[in-house]
């Protein structure tokens, strides 16, 4: 599968305004998104691929396993395990924090609110267990070929088992974690994601789980608070010129619609390079 992309930047001061405009363009309310991204690096060297032996406790689609095996040939790439669950909600324009604000003399009310928030989070986790997806993103094609960013991609659902054990079985090691916090819209075949990234406030200690990150323990990667707007169209078969052209034209039409609101441009190819160096 291929995806076609355009990117734009939105200052934090214009976030609410742009969110409202996107809601009008997409004719829908924004859907809040908080994702946990675990970044993995292959342990092996180039040309030393091994089979996907994940054991009975792991279950991925057969086509997905073949994609992973094909990806291990030649160049080595970073991959990400993306989790959807309860990681808190971003608050304020500064650092991401799931904090209940209380004035002087309101310590008791603040404490009650925090307890209620904790209970809500526990109830959500109990009824909505984490869902994990293994994401692979290739190096984008040279920009001059198309007026949009184009790259091969694969999303492989992990339907059961421990994602860390799964990655260990693939001979990958965890190197970093971050959170994506924002809102998603859908306009025709285009997925619009207005987001910013959060990273751990401090490095985990030797005895802490480096993959256990939530909003209350994170800070903004970009201190300015700037948001990224990503417009993406997925094409099932990138070898078909007709469908690629149709997806590209839809992105360019959206770019024209948002002209003067957000300037949508081709992504920096090297900034999107996922190859291991």
């Amino acid at each position: 599968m291929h995806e076609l992309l355009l990117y734009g930047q939105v200052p934090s001061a214009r976030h609410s305004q742009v969110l409202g405009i996107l809601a009008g363009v997409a004719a829908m309310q924004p859907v809040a998104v908080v994702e946990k991204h675990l970044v993995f690096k292959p342990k092996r060297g180039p040309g030393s691929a091994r089979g996907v032996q994940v054991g009975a406790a792991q279950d991925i689609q057969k086509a997905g396993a073949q994609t992973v095996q094909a990806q291990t040939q030649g160049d080595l790439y970073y991959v990400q395990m993306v989790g959807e669950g309860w990681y808190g909600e971003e608050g304020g324009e500064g650092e991401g924090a799931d904090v209940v604000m209380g004035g002087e003399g309101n310590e008791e009310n603040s404490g009650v609110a925090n307890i209620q928030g904790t209970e809500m989070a526990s109830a959500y986790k109990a009824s909505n267990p984490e869902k994990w997806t293994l994401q692979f993103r290739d190096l984008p094609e040279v920009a001059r070929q198309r007026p949009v960013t184009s790259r091969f991609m694969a999303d492989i659902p992990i339907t059961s088992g421990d994602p860390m054990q799964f990655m260990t079985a693939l001979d990958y090691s965890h190197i970093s974690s971050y959170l994506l916090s924002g809102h998603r819209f859908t306009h025709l075949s285009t997925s619009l994601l207005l987001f910013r990234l959060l990273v751990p406030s401090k490095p985990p200690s030797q005895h802490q789980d480096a993959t256990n990150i939530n909003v209350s323990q994170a800070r903004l990667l970009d201190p300015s608070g700037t948001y990224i707007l990503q417009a993406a169209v997925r094409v099932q078969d990138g070898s078909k010129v007709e469908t690629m052209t149709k997806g590209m034209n839809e992105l360019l039409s959206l770019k024209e619609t948002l002209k003067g609101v957000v300037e949508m441009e081709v992504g920096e190819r090297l900034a999107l390079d996922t190859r291991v160096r």
Side-chain angles (χ1 to χ4, degrees), residues 3-259:
E3 63 178 354
L4 307 175
L5 303 153
L6 287 174
Y7 296 92
Q9 294 187 4
V10 178
S12 59
R14 296 189 58 227
H15 175 250
S16 297
Q17 177 195 30
V18 172
L19 205 62
I21 293 173
L22 293 176
V25 170
M28 64 174 288
Q29 291 300 310
V31 178
V33 176
V34 180
E35 296 176 346
K36 179 194 292 185
H37 288 246
L38 309 180
V39 183
F40 292 86
K41 177 182 179 180
K43 297 178 183 178
R44 62 190 174 277
S48 58
R50 57 184 283 187
V52 182
Q53 302 295 332
V54 297
Q58 305 294 340
D59 182 15
I60 65 173
Q61 296 178 357
K62 183 177 180 181
Q66 293 173 345
T67 300
V68 174
Q69 288 180 313
Q71 179 265 317
T72 60
Q73 305 296 329
D75 288 334
L76 298 179
Y77 293 82
Y78 294 99
V79 298
Q80 296 192 24
M81 189 70 76
V82 180
E84 296 182 14
W86 177 271
Y87 310 118
E89 296 178 348
E90 188 180 346
E93 293 296 333
E95 296 186 352
D98 188 14
V99 177
V100 178
M101 302 301 294
E104 294 183 8
N106 269 349
E107 291 83 356
E108 182 178 350
N109 291 336
S110 177
V112 171
N114 275 310
I115 292 173
Q116 291 174 341
T118 302
E119 292 176 346
M120 181 175 67
S122 298
Y124 183 92
K125 289 179 180 179
S127 58
N128 297 272
E130 283 182 312
K131 297 179 181 179
W132 292 96
T133 301
L134 178 61
Q135 287 189 353
F136 168 72
R137 300 293 183 267
D138 201 354
L139 172 69
E141 298 174 359
V142 179
R144 65 175 178 268
Q145 295 181 1
R146 294 187 178 91
V148 299
T149 297
S150 173
R151 64 184 178 186
F152 175 77
M153 54 82 65
D155 283 353
I156 306 164
I158 308 299
T159 57
S160 66
D162 186 328
M164 295 300 294
Q165 292 181 5
F166 173 69
M167 295 308 296
T168 300
L170 289 178
D171 207 19
Y172 279 76
S173 59
H174 173 258
I175 60 170
S176 65
S177 304
Y178 67 90
L179 293 174
L180 181 151
S181 175
H183 293 86
R184 180 177 284 120
F185 303 86
T186 301
H187 175 62
L188 301 178
S189 301
T190 304
S191 174
L192 290 161
L193 183 62
L194 183 62
F195 69 94
R196 52 189 180 182
L197 303 180
L198 300 94
V199 296
S201 299
K202 57 183 180 180
S205 66
Q206 184 178 0
H207 302 290
Q208 285 182 316
D209 182 2
T211 67
N212 186 18
I213 175 177
N214 56 54
V215 174
S216 64
Q217 301 167 337
R219 60 176 175 82
L220 292 175
L221 177 63
D222 181 356
S224 70
T226 299
Y227 286 81
I228 301 297
L229 177 60
Q230 173 186 284
V233 173
R234 294 185 175 183
V235 179
Q236 185 67 37
D237 188 351
S239 64
K240 294 184 177 180
V241 177
E242 182 181 352
T243 54
M244 291 290 281
T245 301
K246 182 178 179 181
M248 181 182 67
N249 289 339
E250 184 171 324
L251 278 181
L252 295 178
S253 176
L254 178 65
K255 176 181 178 178
E256 188 65 25
T257 299
L258 295 177
K259 191 173 183 178

